[in-house]
Structures are given as C-alpha cells and as structure tokens.
Amino acid sequence: MNAHAGGVSLRPYQAEAVARVVTHFRASSEPAVVVLPTGSGKSLVIAELARLARGRVLVLAHVRELVEQNHAKYLDYGLDADIFSAGLGRKEAGRQVVFGSVQSVVRNLAAFGGADATQRPFTLLVIDECHRVSLDEDSSYRQVIERLRATNPHLKILGLTATPYRLGQGFVYHRHHHGMVRGDEACFFRDCVFEQPLRLMVKQGYLAPPRRVDAAVARYDFSRLTPSASGVFQEAELNRLVAGHRATPGIIAEVIEHAEGRQGVMVFAASVVHAEEIMGYLPAGQAALITGATPGHERDAVIGAFKARHLKYLVNVAVLTTGFDAPHVDLIAILRPTESVGLYQQIVGRGLRLSPGKTDCLILDYAGNPWDLFAPEVGAPKPAGDTEPVQVACPECGHANLFWGRRDGELVIEHFGRRCQGLVDTSTGEPALPGEGGAVQQCDFRYRFKVCGDCGAENDIAARRCHGCQALLVDADDKLKEALRLRDARVLRVAGMQLESTTNARGLPRLKVTYHDEDGASLIEWFALETPAQRGAFAAVFLRDHLRAPGSAFRPTAPGEVVDEQKRLRAPDFVIGRKVGRHWQVREKVFDYAGRYRKAYEV
C-alpha cells in the first residue's frame, strides 16, 4: 500500500492508475481514460490526482450522489474543496478544487471560464462515468469542455469509467495502452492509459465474487426483441413482453426464496408497469420502487432506508445502474434484457463491493442475457444472437484481435472483423505501444475490404473514397447495374455455392466451384492446387474473400481438403460472369452487399 496525506492509502492498482495519468499528461494534452471496475475506488484515484495537481481542478459527474461521494474522498485527505451542484444546495467555485454536477455547471458557464471569469483557469478536468460524454458538440459535457479550453487551450481532460462503451458509438477512446485500436478516429478521448480487469479484482479479493445461478423457473423470452437505432430497447416493446406475464409471480417467489439469509436485494425491472407488478408480489413493508419519475426527496428517503437496511428489496427501472453505492447488496435479480455487456457489468457491479459478513453476490438472471460478466466489450454491435467474442491473430503484426464470431470447438470458423486493431511503429511496422516515443499507427491489414480500381489499395467495405488516392470507389449497385446492361455479362443472385473435388480432361485434380441462382442458372470456376504458386494464387483470389474467418491459417494443398472444410467458407451475394468464346468466366464477386438490389431469398 502507498500511504498519503491524511492517512489515506491507495491500493497498488490505484497508485499505478495515478502514475500512468501523470506520465501521459506530462507528454500530451490529449484526453485520456482510466478504466476501473465498479467498486474499485475511482473516487480515491480522483482525489489523489486532485491532490497532486498544481493548477485548478474541476471534477464533474452526472448525478449528485457521485459528486458528493467524490468530494467526501477528497476531504479524507484533510483538504477542502468546493461543490457546485444545485441538487446538493451548493454553488461554490472559488477553491483550487471544485466538484460539480455537469447539469449545474453547464447552466453557469460564466463562473468557469471566459473573459468574465474571476478565477484562474482550470488546468485539469476529471469526468466520472465518462462514457456519458457524447460526440455531439452541443452536449452538456462538450459545452463545459469548450468553455474551459477557451481560457486554457492546454487543458488536461481525464475520464474514468467502468464501461468505456457507448451504445450507438462503440468504444469512447481511440487507442488502448496494450497497443491496440478500440474506437474510431472520431472518439473524443484518445488513449486509455490504464485498465484494471474485473476478473483480476475479484481474484485479488478487492471485489466480492459474483455467483450466477441458473433460474429454476420459467424465464422471459426477449430473444425476438431488437434494439432501436440508438441501441436501446423501447419501453413499449418491453411492456408488451412482460406486463402481466404469467411467469412473474413464480420468478418473484424464487427471488424471495433465494433472498433468505441475504442482506440486500436489488431487482432490475424491464419497465415501470413491470416494476409496479413486481412490487405487488414482494413482502409488504420490505420493498420500495425507484423510477426515473420518482421525486428527489422521495428517492433519497428510499435509498437511505435501503442502505440502513430498513428495506430489504429495492426495485428500479434503469436508474440505479451508475452512481449508486450500497455495499451490503448481495443479490441481484435481473428481469430485463441488457443491451450490452457494459450495461450488464454496471448492473451486476451494484453487488460486487465488499461488506462485513458478505461472501459473494448471487446473480439471478431471468431475462436470458447472453453476456459474460468478465468478457470485454468487442466494440461493434453484436451481429447475431449466437455469436461470441473470439480472438483472431493478425497475419501481419500478430496482434490478438477481439471480434464477434462463431466457433466449432476451439476453431474460429467465422468472425466479423474488418481491420486489425493492432498498433504498429510507423517506421518498422513492428507492434508498438502508444506513448513509447515513436510514432504509431493502426496496422494496415484488412480482413474484409473493397479494392480501389485506380490504385489497388484495400479500403473498408463501407468506404466511399479510396484512402490511398482519394478516388471515388465504384458502388456495388453501379457495378451490378452496368453488368446487367451488357449482353455478354451474366449476374447471379447467389442462392448456393457447391464445391467438388474432381479431375480435368488430363486426369489432374481440380477444385470445381459452382454458383447457383434461384432459377437454376450457374457460373463455374476451377482451381488447381498442385504447386506452391497455384496454392498461393488460390489463397489470394479465392480464400481471402471466401473465408468466413479471413486471416486464419487455412492453407489447403488439395481440392479434397477444401471440400472437407467448406463449413469455413462463405458464398458471395452476387457473382458477375462475362462470356469468353463459348464459355462463361467469373469476373467479379460481391460480398457484404448492402445496396438496393434484393439478395437471394430475401423477402
């Protein structure tokens, strides 16, 4: 342990997080992120950074509970700081360190910077629960940031979060200190400078171990529910599935049974109507409900009674996933679908803090949530319900990428990655870490790509212009439209792909690939695999596009091997053939199609 002023001590990982932040900001003014699991003591890290800072510090949070909690940890150092929060009845901004709610600060920007500000400019801005910082420049956080930067262009900005992921956006930072790209270039935060894994926290005894129990009674079926464009489930849809559901009485009876001998129970409901129904089945006088519409004074009274253990059950609807601290909670009942592993971790995290007499936290999931509590975010929306995070090594830099995919045993037979996430040194192409001194960039290897007809560069499949020569890339619809106009061209809407190990007229082994459309028309291509050159050509012109897990080390040496492993191959959406003499030749294939033409069997 590292002792500090006022008898406060930091755990080793907290001290390391502080050291990484200091090192980063000595070399850069780019916004940075620290990722610490729920219950890991972010408030202590914030307090230590505020203590070390030489200039003025503003610490922002989105709920008053966090403002109060972070302020209290700083006071433990024997130091004083201001609070700027209407919800806490204080609007002070004169001291070196100020803890504020973003809503109050954004309504009083004149007190925090600009020509009419009376105080010295802030040098450090700390944002708790920084995954709430939007890319929208008109959002509250961004308005505060721009005001502070107006008086100090070199403002250091640090975000802390347990879940560095935003629905509809992906990761909130661009690069990770382990040497990989997570979010895209548009991310506001540039670097994650420190991350403490949840599994390690539990293993080292800093968090209570979660114990997930398979529910013995019927569950809710949310499998057909799809999130909105913003990635969030709609309450009306949730209501339709759970309101008056016949499984609810049995589910709550089971929760009550498991709660015997437990200290505190949190129930996460799918909707307000659902939560009100749940309250009707819980023991009278032992349960309370909090929703987004609960008045502030009533909410405070309920939370106070729950923390004092006058209430055993606390039911809520999407309002206590962050900024809520009741360490005695040792049973979490999830009766709602969660849109991401990040939200799932936030919910379960309410029960992982240590508390006297607490040995673990029981997790009862009645919504069939597919998330692994210890699995990291992948960063892209889940493409299908049966996909899982898979590790895919880059054939160029060796980086172990994390993509959504499918396995057959230990073999990754499909993944949905587009580009390697590894960081490499720009001069050597070798794997590199951000902040090591040399210039780093994202590895150029692409698993799926669109080739520029002008310069041959490989581009993202959604790119409109070539990143190499800036030429406008040929649109797949234009390509199909042009081929359809030609008399000597054939366009197949592929309904099936058949592979056959056969021989040619001279008795030599060949791989025959036949593409069929819905009406029975077909196009055929042939491949030889006897020589290294032929196998190399096959890998380049066929495997690179057809592998469901591109970049994998599948290098067949005979047609039969390809046929035996055809589960690893995918068919194109369209095939374009041109007539050469009396025969048709496959000239082009279209994969990952998302245009206006119908694909095979689409309704």
Side-chain angles (χ1 to χ4, degrees):
M1 293 288 188
N2 301 315
H4 289 298
V8 177
S9 59
L10 298 183
R11 294 169 175 173
Y13 67 85
Q14 293 169 331
E16 186 179 355
V18 169
R20 294 272 190 90
V21 171
V22 171
T23 300
H24 172 80
F25 284 139
R26 279 178 178 159
S28 171
S29 290
E30 291 196 319
V33 169
V34 165
V35 179
L36 292 171
T38 300
S40 59
K42 293 197 299 293
S43 296
L44 264 181
V45 173
I46 291 170
E48 176 67 1
L49 287 166
R51 185 186 75 86
L52 292 173
R54 293 177 181 173
R56 299 194 71 209
V57 181
L58 175 61
V59 180
L60 288 181
H62 70 290
V63 291
R64 61 181 178 173
E65 289 88 353
L66 280 177
V67 175
E68 201 167 27
Q69 182 179 307
N70 292 334
H71 179 260
K73 291 296 182 190
Y74 187 71
L75 297 188
D76 287 345
Y77 278 101
L79 303 171
D80 211 348
D82 282 343
I83 286 181
F84 201 98
S85 168
L88 294 173
R90 294 172 63 178
K91 285 190 176 181
E92 312 144 356
R95 285 190 170 91
Q96 179 186 356
V97 180
V98 180
F99 292 83
S101 71
V102 65
Q103 297 91 342
S104 296
V105 171
V106 79
R107 293 191 192 105
N108 297 271
L109 287 177
F112 291 87
D116 48 355
T118 57
Q119 302 293 330
R120 288 181 297 127
F122 288 93
T123 57
L124 172 64
L125 171 63
V126 180
I127 301 174
D128 200 356
E129 305 291 354
C130 69
H131 57 273
R132 304 183 71 88
V133 176
S134 168
L135 290 176
D136 180 4
E137 294 185 4
D138 291 329
S139 65
S140 296
Y141 279 112
R142 298 298 293 273
Q143 287 184 53
V144 175
I145 289 165
E146 291 314 305
R147 174 54 68 106
L148 298 185
R149 277 178 168 170
T151 52
N152 179 11
H154 302 293
L155 176 74
K156 314 292 187 183
I157 304 171
L158 175 70
L160 293 99
T161 180
T163 52
Y165 184 82
R166 189 174 172 87
L167 285 172
Q169 176 190 328
F171 281 96
V172 299
Y173 61 83
H174 181 47
R175 303 181 303 193
H176 192 280
H177 66 93
H178 282 159
M180 56 190 167
V181 168
R182 304 307 294 269
D184 61 29
E185 278 283 353
C187 289
F188 174 77
F189 294 99
R190 305 311 298 160
D191 290 290
C192 172
V193 296
F194 181 80
E195 180 170 13
Q196 178 76 349
L198 177 61
R199 189 186 298 276
L200 185 60
M201 290 280 294
V202 173
K203 184 178 179 181
Q204 293 177 343
Y206 291 125
L207 291 177
R211 185 161 66 89
R212 185 166 172 164
V213 174
D214 279 336
V217 300
R219 296 183 178 187
Y220 302 111
D221 182 11
F222 295 110
S223 60
R224 295 182 184 177
L225 198 65
T226 54
S228 66
S230 63
V232 179
F233 294 121
Q234 297 297 308
E235 182 158 340
E237 281 292 291
L238 292 170
N239 255 335
R240 185 178 58 80
L241 288 169
V242 297
H245 198 289
R246 63 184 181 185
T248 304
I251 286 172
I252 300 306
E254 186 173 276
V255 170
I256 293 169
E257 184 182 336
H258 279 291
E260 192 171 340
R262 293 275 158 180
Q263 301 178 35
V265 181
M266 289 187 71
V267 180
F268 289 84
S271 68
V272 174
V273 173
H274 185 219
E276 290 169 344
E277 181 188 358
I278 289 168
M279 284 292 294
Y281 300 120
L282 289 169
Q286 295 185 41
L289 167 63
I290 291 180
T291 73
T294 306
H297 65 280
E298 184 181 328
R299 172 189 170 116
D300 291 345
V302 168
I303 289 176
F306 181 69
K307 288 184 176 181
R309 309 193 193 188
H310 301 315
L311 296 170
K312 184 168 185 175
Y313 300 89
L314 186 57
V315 183
N316 87 100
V317 186
V319 291
L320 297 180
T321 53
T322 60
F324 176 78
D325 183 3
H328 75 289
V329 171
D330 55 0
L331 194 160
I332 301 285
I334 307 173
L335 281 68
R336 56 156 293 175
T338 52
E339 291 90 340
S340 70
V341 68
L343 178 57
Y344 184 73
Q345 288 171 337
Q346 287 171 349
I347 287 174
V348 174
R350 301 305 109 201
L352 299 187
R353 285 182 171 85
L354 301 177
S355 181
K358 178 176 172 179
T359 57
D360 62 19
C361 180
L362 198 61
I363 313 299
L364 303 176
D365 187 352
Y366 295 97
N369 286 295
W371 312 111
D372 177 352
L373 178 64
F374 298 111
E377 287 280 10
V378 174
K382 196 171 186 178
D386 62 341
T387 54
E388 60 180 306
V390 297
Q391 203 171 73
V392 180
C394 173
E396 283 194 8
C397 74
H399 177 74
N401 293 280
L402 194 68
F403 298 135
W404 290 115
R406 294 184 175 92
R407 300 177 189 275
D408 183 1
E410 290 301 306
L411 177 68
V412 176
I413 61 166
E414 183 172 27
H415 71 73
F416 295 88
R418 293 185 182 183
R419 182 178 177 182
C420 174
Q421 301 163 335
L423 288 171
V424 296
D425 188 294
T426 53
S427 57
T428 66
E430 294 296 313
L433 299 176
E436 284 191 328
V440 297
Q441 67 178 23
Q442 187 173 0
C443 174
D444 284 332
F445 183 80
R446 295 182 186 273
Y447 294 93
R448 291 182 171 85
F449 51 88
K450 185 190 290 184
V451 177
C452 174
D454 289 5
C455 72
E458 295 176 357
N459 294 272
D460 186 81
I461 58 175
R464 297 184 63 83
R465 285 194 177 273
C466 174
H467 72 88
C469 68
Q470 298 305 308
L472 195 64
L473 296 172
V474 178
D475 184 73
D477 280 345
D478 293 340
K479 199 179 291 184
L480 294 172
K481 189 176 180 180
E482 182 183 353
L484 287 167
R485 284 203 307 259
L486 299 174
R487 297 180 66 179
D488 64 342
R490 174 180 288 175
V491 177
L492 290 190
R493 181 183 282 118
V494 179
M497 179 178 76
Q498 182 181 350
L499 278 67
E500 183 182 354
S501 176
T502 183
T503 55
N504 65 6
R506 292 186 294 159
L508 298 172
R510 291 291 183 265
L511 175 68
K512 179 183 179 183
V513 183
T514 306
Y515 304 99
H516 303 279
D517 72 2
E518 297 160 310
D519 301 319
S522 63
L523 287 169
I524 298 172
E525 55 184 349
W526 301 81
F527 295 97
L529 285 85
E530 294 109 276
T531 68
Q534 290 170 338
R535 293 192 286 270
F538 177 67
V541 303
F542 185 86
L543 287 181
R544 185 83 199 268
D545 288 321
H546 283 267
L547 275 174
R548 293 170 62 195
S552 56
F554 178 48
R555 292 293 178 266
T557 58
E561 293 177 37
V562 183
V563 175
D564 291 342
E565 293 293 321
Q566 58 186 297
K567 65 185 178 185
R568 302 174 67 167
L569 303 173
R570 61 175 182 156
D573 298 313
F574 294 91
V575 174
I576 300 172
R578 297 292 295 272
K579 200 162 191 178
V580 180
R582 292 182 302 159
H583 302 285
W584 291 94
Q585 283 188 356
V586 172
R587 288 290 180 86
E588 199 148 12
K589 303 170 197 169
V590 178
F591 292 85
D592 305 301
Y593 178 74
R596 67 177 183 270
Y597 290 102
R598 180 180 64 83
K599 290 192 283 189
Y601 301 128
E602 272 186 351
V603 178

